[in-house]
Amino acid sequence: MEELTSTVKSLTELLLQKQLTDYDEVIEELFSEVPGLEAMPKIPDPQLEECAIKLWNWGVTNNVGVTISTIQKAQVRHVACSLLYCCEPENPTEGTIRKQILMASKTGRTWLDCKNPQMADKYLSLAVKSLEILYSQLMSRGNGTADISSSKEDVEKDLLRILSYQAESAITQGNNKEAVAYIQRCKDMLLRLPKDTAYLSLMCYNFGIDAYNVRKYEDTAFWLSQSYDIGKMNMKYGPGSEVLAKALRLLATVYLEWDCEKFAEKAVNAVSLANKECVSTYGLYLKIKILLRCESSDSDFRAGLNEMLESEVSLELCLSTVKLLISEKREALAFEYLKSVCQHFETSPDLGTALVLHIELLLQRGKELLGKQKIEDVITGHCTGKQLTPQALTSLHVLLWDKASKYFEAGSYSEALQWYNYSLSLFKGGQMEPNLAKLQRNRASCFLKLKQLEKAKEAIKEAQRCDPDNIFTQFSVYKVAVQENEAEKASGALHAMGRLSKNPVACEDRLLVSEDAASNLLSLAAQIALENGQQETAMKALEILCEHSKDQAQVLVALRCLVRLVLSTIEKLSDEISDVSLDVLLPHLKKALQTISHPSHMTVDQRTEEANWFRKIAWNLALQCESSPDKMRDFFVLSYQFSQLCPPDRTLLMGQRTCLLMAAAASLELGRKSSHPTQEFTQTLEHIQICSEVWKTLKASGSFPMDPTDSLLLLYEFEARAKLNDPIVEAILESVLELESVEPKMLETMAALAMEPPAYFPLLCKKALRVALFLHKKQPQADLAHCSKCVHSLIKLSLPSGVSEVEAHVLEEVWNYYEEALSIIAAAPDDFPEMETLWLLTQAWNTGILLYSLAQYPEAEKWCGLAMSFVRHLGSLQESYETQMSGLYSKILDRLDKAKKNVNMKE
């Protein structure tokens, strides 16, 4: 025991130290010692009592330099109170008992504030017990003195407060009956303690609120009734009429929600009593609600409604009541009351709000004629001094526009115009504001539908005056331009719409509600132009839409439409597609590629579908560009690029290969015709490189017998590199020769390309020709014409063109080609072209003469003799050439003999 008290004292002293910063641990340790204190026998200990007082004061003082939580405050009070009761003497003094009452009641209250009613009950019971002891001591002294009477009154006050705490604890724990018993004891004490009337009444009201929040209607009704009854016990010290009325209104609401049929009379009585206590707008309105739920008679309603008007409630509440009556199907009463309201508030500046509601209700019930009469009266009043407030005016405009738009949607344009004209009558002359512009645009739409073009133009002119930089104003200008078939004016309006589409666009009378309102408007503009047969204008609208819209799906739809429109125009005008049409289509396809390639919310299937559609279009357009290789290349490249956005399969890869081959061929054609071909040939090589990769992938998927792709790729690359004078052409020829099957024609083509300016590869050319000649001869039946051409080209390339080129190895090479030529002639003398024989003869003779001039007599004789050997193969020319050549040859031989003798003599 001594150890326990010593620990408590030490912890208390530690807590009281100013330099302590961590209070949490000390408080928690102190609180953990409480069970031990409560188990100790009660022994008076002045030091322990002093410790309890210090601890209590520490908990309530504001000079501790730190803020403790409510729970920590409860724990400190709990410990202090337990210490005080622990050292209670057998016959405590009045002062000690009062300390116990104070500490126990406040500790209980603090635990209640911490939502811990079980802890609270313990100390509240201790407080009541101490109060009873104190009261017993006071009674034992007699009732004579004033001090005794005052002390007894203080005890009763404390008791009432503690009993109310116990009632609150019981409510928190769901013990309603126990709470009722505590409150009843408190009520019994109010006759002696009238000043606590308001306190107890408000406590019961709060109990009612708590019960209502969890929809315990029976408990709510009881506590609210108790609140009212207690409050009425002493009006002087009660909570006041306003609070009592508040309790009664909530009580009426409880009856209404609980069971209206069963408690109808109680609900009416409660709200009526509340209004007598303290009339309020809500109380009057609540009474009407209750009467409606109880299906009361019209006379009861009229009494309630008149009570509202007599109580000078606001116009807003009266109109809310009218709406309530309408919603509950009491239309006759609603209109009757609305009429009374309008009369009552006749001089109010807010009367317009009631008049607008009257119009709205009439129109809602299909009473258009009465509604129009009322509207005309309001317009007349507004224009002659009885102006509507801005809020009422806005409400009326909304009402009129809503009615007009419904007629417009139904196709009743004259009726719609009438309602818009009502709205126009409420604007002042010369007024400028966006809403007036919007109204004029709506009127213009009606006039256009009614074919009243001039009136539409007047309305649009007014709209432009009020709000020129509005996309809908420009749209109205556009519609009129289309009606008048003024393409230039329509184009100007479309460009203005495109410029304005960069700004946020608001909804225009139900026309557009999406985020891409401007784009939708441009789409609608295109539709209008097409409906009016103005295709060029429609295309302009779609082009501007594609330029400004951020909606990828919408852009792709527009691009599809544009492509179809251009193609349909081509079909109408001619069978052949023009360069102008191609120039129009190309940017559309490029825009489509850019749009589909951009990350978006499109699914894979959607992306594939779009890419495939444009891929096929690009392919078909490319096939129609035979006369325009640049366009052909561009469309084939686009088709390939679109195909890259589709899931790859064998068919798609075949298409990619063809696109790239055709693009390479077109680039070659462009390079041949260009004065600066480097770029075109470089681009050709790029296409070939990509095509090679695609072709490798294709070949890996299966065999392609007799497919010319490898040959074409090598041939195209050979030409491009030859024209770029790239020495890699030699390696390309080797690659060709390594192919399984090489056509002589391909080698002949490569030979020609090797010497076609700006290319110059004579050795490569001769090599290709030699292989081609070999392949021709290797065939079962040699093609003599091709053989002779090869030999012709070889001889032409090899013959010395001047003195400097006359070398033994050159002459030997040419001689071999002549022998080849003779063998070809010998194989089919009748089939060898006569002119080719003559060419061979001439070239051999000229070579002999050249050698003769260089004093190479033996070689000269040899070549001249070779030339003579071709004479017999000339056919029809043989006789004339034989006579001529024989004479010349004899002279040359004579000269050769003389030349040889001269040489010998000199030696």
Side-chain angles (χ1 to χ4, degrees):
M1 175 180 171
E2 289 181 4
E3 184 179 348
L4 179 61
T5 55
S6 176
T7 301
V8 171
K9 289 177 183 178
S10 298
L11 288 170
T12 302
E13 291 299 326
L14 182 61
L15 192 63
L16 296 176
Q17 290 178 8
K18 291 184 178 180
Q19 62 268 27
L20 183 66
T21 55
D22 186 8
Y23 294 94
D24 299 354
E25 187 178 343
V26 179
I27 292 173
E28 199 63 44
E29 194 171 347
L30 260 175
F31 186 67
S32 67
E33 299 293 342
V34 170
L37 289 172
E38 292 174 346
M40 286 170 49
K42 293 183 180 181
I43 300 174
D45 187 339
Q47 288 184 344
L48 203 57
E49 183 178 350
E50 184 184 357
C51 181
I53 301 300
K54 285 181 179 180
L55 190 58
W56 181 270
N57 291 337
W58 182 89
V60 298
T61 186
N62 292 321
N63 299 320
V64 295
V66 68
T67 302
I68 60 174
S69 67
T70 307
I71 289 184
Q72 287 176 325
K73 184 179 178 181
Q75 289 175 332
V76 169
R77 289 187 169 185
H78 188 114
V79 174
C81 192
S82 296
L83 283 172
L84 187 67
Y85 274 96
C86 180
C87 56
E88 178 187 15
E90 187 174 348
N91 296 307
T93 62
E94 182 178 335
T96 299
I97 295 172
R98 288 188 183 277
K99 287 177 189 175
Q100 290 175 341
I101 294 167
L102 174 69
M103 287 189 181
S105 61
K106 287 190 177 293
T107 301
R109 177 70 260 175
T110 309
W111 279 122
L112 273 180
D113 294 338
C114 294
K115 310 298 182 188
N116 193 334
Q118 292 82 6
M119 282 287 197
D121 285 346
K122 174 182 176 182
Y123 286 94
L124 293 175
S125 298
L126 284 174
V128 170
K129 185 177 178 182
S130 296
L131 277 169
E132 289 173 350
I133 293 170
L134 180 59
Y135 190 78
S136 176
Q137 285 185 0
L138 293 172
M139 290 297 292
S140 65
R141 298 178 193 171
N143 297 324
T145 65
D147 289 342
I148 295 298
S149 299
S150 175
S151 296
K152 287 169 62 179
E153 185 177 341
D154 290 341
V155 170
E156 288 186 329
K157 282 183 181 179
D158 288 340
L159 181 59
L160 185 142
R161 194 60 55 98
I162 293 167
L163 288 171
S164 71
Y165 292 164
Q166 288 180 308
E168 183 179 345
S169 178
I171 287 290
T172 304
Q173 296 177 74
N175 299 326
N176 199 65
K177 289 183 178 180
E178 192 176 325
V180 170
Y182 286 127
I183 293 299
Q184 186 57 50
R185 288 184 63 185
C186 293
K187 279 179 70 176
D188 294 342
M189 298 169 70
L190 280 181
L191 294 174
R192 300 186 297 278
L193 301 169
K195 291 181 180 179
D196 283 323
T197 301
Y199 167 77
L200 199 58
S201 175
L202 287 171
M203 176 162 276
C204 291
Y205 177 77
N206 290 334
F207 289 168
I209 292 289
D210 292 339
Y212 179 72
N213 288 336
V214 293
R215 296 299 182 266
K216 291 184 177 180
Y217 293 119
E218 186 174 359
D219 292 347
T220 306
F222 172 79
W223 289 116
L224 292 175
S225 298
Q226 285 293 306
S227 176
Y228 176 72
D229 291 343
I230 291 170
K232 293 293 285 184
M233 286 176 67
N234 191 314
M235 294 301 296
K236 180 180 179 181
Y237 296 110
S241 297
E242 189 175 341
V243 175
L244 295 178
K246 191 175 180 181
L248 289 168
R249 286 195 298 271
L250 182 55
L251 179 59
T253 302
V254 169
Y255 286 135
L256 188 67
E257 294 179 9
W258 189 4
D259 190 337
C260 188
E261 291 183 10
K262 184 177 180 181
F263 301 110
E265 187 176 350
K266 287 186 175 183
V268 173
N269 289 339
V271 74
S272 298
L273 190 57
N275 290 337
K276 286 180 182 178
E277 284 287 346
C278 181
V279 69
S280 71
T281 54
Y282 178 71
L284 296 167
Y285 184 75
L286 179 62
K287 184 173 183 179
I288 301 301
K289 279 181 69 176
I290 293 170
L291 290 172
L292 281 168
R293 291 288 297 275
C294 299
E295 298 182 357
S296 301
S297 63
D298 287 353
S299 59
D300 289 336
F301 274 111
R302 288 190 180 95
L305 294 171
N306 289 334
E307 186 180 2
M308 290 182 78
L309 289 176
E310 290 167 3
S311 301
E312 297 297 329
V313 296
S314 67
L315 174 60
E316 184 181 359
L317 182 68
C318 292
L319 298 183
S320 296
T321 305
V322 171
K323 293 174 185 176
L324 178 64
L325 292 169
I326 290 290
S327 67
E328 295 293 335
K329 313 298 183 188
R330 305 300 287 261
E331 291 184 12
L333 271 174
F335 280 105
E336 179 185 317
Y337 182 56
L338 183 55
K339 185 178 179 181
S340 300
V341 169
C342 290
Q343 291 172 351
H344 185 80
F345 290 94
E346 189 173 7
T347 59
S348 170
D350 295 323
L351 175 63
T353 307
L355 296 174
V356 172
L357 178 63
H358 197 170
I359 293 167
E360 182 182 356
L361 294 175
L362 287 171
L363 295 178
Q364 283 177 355
R365 273 134 199 85
K367 300 177 181 180
E368 278 202 8
L369 187 58
L370 288 173
K372 286 181 177 180
Q373 290 174 354
K374 201 75 178 173
I375 290 166
E376 289 164 5
D377 291 342
V378 169
I379 292 172
T380 302
H382 182 69
C383 296
T384 56
K386 295 182 179 179
Q387 289 192 345
L388 299 172
T389 62
Q391 185 179 357
L393 188 60
T394 300
S395 298
L396 183 55
H397 278 305
V398 170
L399 194 64
L400 296 171
W401 287 21
D402 185 64
K403 196 71 179 173
S405 72
K406 287 177 180 175
Y407 273 116
F408 188 91
E409 289 173 1
S412 301
Y413 306 117
S414 296
E415 278 292 327
L417 187 60
Q418 184 179 6
W419 289 96
Y420 282 131
N421 286 338
Y422 280 144
S423 179
L424 184 62
S425 302
L426 294 164
F427 284 95
K428 296 176 183 178
Q431 190 173 348
M432 288 183 64
E433 64 166 274
N435 281 332
L436 178 56
K438 185 175 179 181
L439 174 60
Q440 292 290 10
R441 291 194 294 268
N442 291 341
R443 292 180 71 244
S445 296
C446 294
F447 285 129
L448 285 172
K449 292 291 185 180
L450 294 168
K451 307 299 181 184
Q452 298 177 18
L453 199 57
E454 290 304 316
K455 289 185 177 180
K457 288 166 73 175
E458 289 176 14
I460 290 169
K461 188 176 179 181
E462 281 298 304
Q464 285 181 290
R465 182 182 66 83
C466 297
D467 194 7
D469 292 328
N470 182 289
I471 193 169
F472 291 102
T473 299
Q474 294 301 325
F475 181 61
S476 298
V477 173
Y478 169 81
K479 287 192 290 184
V480 171
V482 170
Q483 289 285 336
E484 294 183 317
N485 201 15
E486 293 187 9
E488 189 174 344
K489 188 177 178 181
S491 178
L494 286 171
H495 280 292
M497 288 168 66
R499 173 175 51 82
L500 294 168
S501 68
K502 297 174 184 176
N503 305 324
V505 180
C507 173
E508 173 90 344
D509 202 23
R510 300 184 183 182
L511 185 60
L512 297 163
V513 294
S514 72
E515 292 180 1
D516 295 320
S519 300
N520 291 341
L521 200 60
L522 287 164
S523 179
L524 183 59
Q527 182 182 333
I528 291 170
L530 288 173
E531 289 171 354
N532 286 272
Q534 297 176 34
Q535 189 163 306
E536 289 296 324
T537 301
M539 290 171 65
K540 177 64 68 176
L542 292 170
E543 287 169 1
I544 293 173
L545 185 153
C546 293
E547 183 182 351
H548 293 95
S549 177
K550 294 179 181 177
D551 185 334
Q552 291 180 319
Q554 192 176 48
V555 169
L556 291 171
V557 170
L559 288 168
R560 282 198 186 202
C561 291
L562 277 167
V563 170
R564 289 192 185 104
L565 288 172
V566 175
L567 293 176
S568 66
T569 303
I570 294 166
E571 289 174 7
K572 291 176 185 176
L573 296 176
S574 64
D575 293 334
E576 293 184 5
I577 193 163
S578 66
D579 284 347
V580 175
S581 300
L582 292 172
D583 288 337
V584 171
L585 287 166
L586 190 60
H588 297 333
L589 292 179
K590 286 182 177 178
K591 177 69 175 177
L593 178 64
Q594 178 188 352
T595 304
I596 299 171
S597 302
H598 194 273
S600 68
H601 298 296
M602 280 193 293
T603 64
V604 173
D605 289 342
Q606 288 172 332
R607 187 185 299 278
T608 301
E609 181 186 354
E610 294 291 348
N612 255 324
W613 192 88
F614 286 103
R615 176 182 67 82
K616 292 173 184 176
I617 292 292
W619 174 278
N620 291 332
L621 289 171
L623 295 178
Q624 298 181 59
C625 297
E626 290 181 14
S627 59
S628 301
D630 56 334
K631 303 292 190 305
M632 176 184 282
R633 176 196 59 196
D634 291 343
F635 283 117
F636 271 126
V637 169
L638 278 170
S639 183
Y640 164 71
Q641 289 171 329
F642 280 118
S643 70
Q644 286 184 296
L645 302 172
C646 304
D649 55 30
R650 188 181 174 91
T651 304
L652 196 75
L653 290 171
M654 293 280 284
Q656 288 183 351
R657 178 206 61 177
T658 304
C659 285
L660 292 165
L661 274 175
M662 295 299 288
S667 294
L668 278 175
E669 182 65 22
L670 289 169
R672 293 175 195 133
K673 296 177 180 179
S674 174
S675 57
H676 302 285
T678 302
Q679 182 179 351
E680 304 296 345
F681 291 134
T682 303
Q683 200 171 64
T684 300
L685 294 174
E686 291 173 2
H687 297 323
I688 291 169
Q689 177 62 36
I690 301 170
C691 187
S692 297
E693 296 299 323
V694 173
W695 182 232
K696 283 179 186 176
T697 305
L698 263 174
K699 287 196 290 186
S701 67
S703 61
F704 292 85
M706 306 303 292
D707 191 287
T709 301
D710 283 317
S711 299
L712 288 172
L713 286 171
L714 289 168
L715 184 61
Y716 291 164
E717 185 178 3
F718 182 89
E719 179 176 357
R721 293 194 183 279
K723 295 294 173 61
L724 292 170
N725 278 307
D726 188 340
I728 295 178
V729 289
E730 296 181 16
I732 297 172
L733 178 59
E734 292 300 325
S735 297
V736 170
L737 297 177
E738 290 172 4
L739 293 174
E740 291 183 8
S741 175
V742 183
E743 291 292 329
K745 186 178 179 181
M746 181 179 175
L747 292 167
E748 291 170 8
T749 303
M750 293 176 77
L753 292 171
M755 296 302 291
E756 187 177 278
Y760 185 74
F761 295 94
L763 295 177
L764 204 64
C765 176
K766 288 193 286 184
K767 183 175 182 179
L769 288 170
R770 285 196 296 270
V771 177
L773 179 60
F774 171 77
L775 292 173
H776 279 305
K777 290 169 66 179
K778 191 178 177 182
Q779 291 178 1
Q781 187 157 354
D783 187 334
L784 294 179
H786 281 93
C787 287
S788 67
K789 283 181 182 179
C790 288
V791 171
H792 180 112
S793 298
L794 284 166
I795 292 171
K796 187 176 179 180
L797 282 167
S798 303
L799 278 172
S801 58
V803 176
S804 62
E805 293 183 11
V806 176
E807 295 179 10
H809 72 277
V810 173
L811 293 173
E812 184 181 355
E813 182 184 353
V814 178
W815 186 270
N816 291 334
Y817 296 146
Y818 265 96
E819 288 182 341
E820 193 73 54
L822 286 170
S823 68
I824 293 170
I825 294 171
D830 296 333
D831 296 333
F832 200 84
E834 189 176 36
M835 294 308 295
E836 183 64 23
T837 304
L838 181 59
W839 183 86
L840 290 167
L841 181 153
T842 304
Q843 297 302 319
W845 184 265
N846 290 342
T847 303
I849 297 301
L850 175 63
L851 291 167
Y852 176 81
S853 66
L854 296 173
Q856 296 184 22
Y857 303 120
E859 289 295 320
E861 182 182 357
K862 179 181 176 182
W863 280 95
C864 287
L866 178 63
M868 291 301 295
S869 66
F870 282 97
V871 173
R872 68 177 182 274
H873 298 295
L874 282 176
S876 61
L877 297 174
Q878 180 179 351
E879 186 176 345
S880 61
Y881 269 91
E882 189 172 20
T883 303
Q884 183 181 353
M885 293 291 291
S886 296
L888 286 170
Y889 186 55
S890 297
K891 290 179 181 180
I892 287 173
L893 289 176
D894 290 340
R895 289 177 183 177
L896 285 171
D897 287 339
K898 289 177 182 180
K900 289 177 182 178
K901 289 177 182 179
N902 291 333
V903 171
N904 293 331
M905 287 174 66
K906 287 178 181 180
E907 291 177 351

